[in-house]
Amino acid sequence: MKLAVVGAYGAGKTTLIREFTKSGCLPAVHGSPMRDPAGSRPKALEEVTPAELVQLVVRRYTERSVEEALHPSGFVSDGSLLHEWVYASVRLSVGLHPVPGTALTPPAPELLPYAEVVEALGQEVKQRAFATYDAFVHLPVEFPLNDAVKPISEHFRVLSDQLLLDELKAAGVTVFTLTGSVAERVAALSELAGG
């Protein structure tokens, strides 16, 4: 079985995957951190330019595709092929720190060319993601970020989660929502994975 554990930044995906894989039921697939664009000095994701953001989306998509292909009999993915596309789409629309009540809107004119590229990439990303995973396991935003310096606002998390869920619903793919403690989530994921 090929499972993608999805949800907004800080929803508990990595914690769940780490605990789940102790059972040996399925191998875990992780993407590399989305940072340090090629051809530039090392920098935080918050500092990348729109062009570098597109480069990082393509890099992470490629890395994840290659890593998942190494496990043809099944895996559980920490995130999905959709994640970086969602992040870039929201960031280009509303920035990193939108206030509550902000909706996804067309980007500012100077960002429109980048948004068009990201949207076109999204067609490839979605097609591959929906053909790859047997099911999506969604972790909703249940608690605030613990980061001392928050890389995104809480509303960015809400908008990201909503865009992700809207795309999954539009595609008609199977989505299981897991809530509760880590132990409860691990038990539910194990049941889904047939373990």
Side-chain angles (χ1 to χ4, degrees):
M1 178 166 274
K2 298 176 182 177
L3 297 172
V5 176
V6 300
Y9 176 84
K13 298 182 296 293
T14 301
T15 300
L16 174 60
I17 298 289
R18 189 180 315 117
E19 292 302 311
F20 171 75
T21 54
K22 289 178 182 177
S23 70
C25 183
L26 288 172
V29 173
H30 303 274
S32 64
M34 205 164 127
R35 63 172 181 251
D36 298 344
S40 77
R41 64 170 176 76
K43 60 176 76 175
L45 183 56
E46 297 81 19
E47 298 174 7
V48 302
T49 67
E52 291 169 332
L53 179 63
V54 172
Q55 179 198 95
L56 292 173
V57 168
V58 172
R59 177 195 297 165
R60 187 88 179 261
Y61 169 77
T62 302
E63 288 174 351
R64 193 183 294 273
S65 295
V66 169
E67 181 70 19
E68 289 176 353
L70 296 175
H71 303 283
S73 60
F75 57 81
V76 59
S77 185
D78 183 353
S80 74
L81 293 165
L82 297 170
H83 272 72
E84 289 70 38
W85 173 78
V86 166
Y87 173 87
S89 297
V90 174
R91 180 168 170 176
L92 291 170
S93 172
V94 297
L96 292 171
H97 301 284
V99 297
T102 303
L104 293 177
T105 58
E110 65 272 14
L111 296 177
L112 191 56
Y114 302 103
E116 289 174 347
V117 169
V118 168
E119 183 57 33
L121 285 172
Q123 300 310 309
E124 164 64 23
V125 168
K126 288 183 271 188
Q127 181 179 0
R128 174 115 184 191
F130 301 145
T132 296
Y133 306 115
D134 297 312
F136 290 81
V137 177
H138 176 246
L139 305 183
V141 175
E142 293 187 286
F143 40 85
L145 290 174
N146 290 327
D147 305 51
V149 177
K150 295 179 174 37
I152 57 174
S153 72
E154 292 294 337
H155 194 57
F156 187 102
R157 295 172 78 202
V158 169
L159 291 172
S160 297
D161 213 34
Q162 190 57 58
L163 177 57
L164 176 67
L165 290 172
D166 287 349
E167 292 295 337
L168 296 175
K169 182 178 180 182
V173 297
T174 303
V175 179
F176 298 94
T177 299
L178 303 186
T179 60
S181 69
V182 174
E184 291 169 328
R185 290 176 172 190
V186 168
L189 185 56
S190 295
E191 187 174 330
L192 283 173

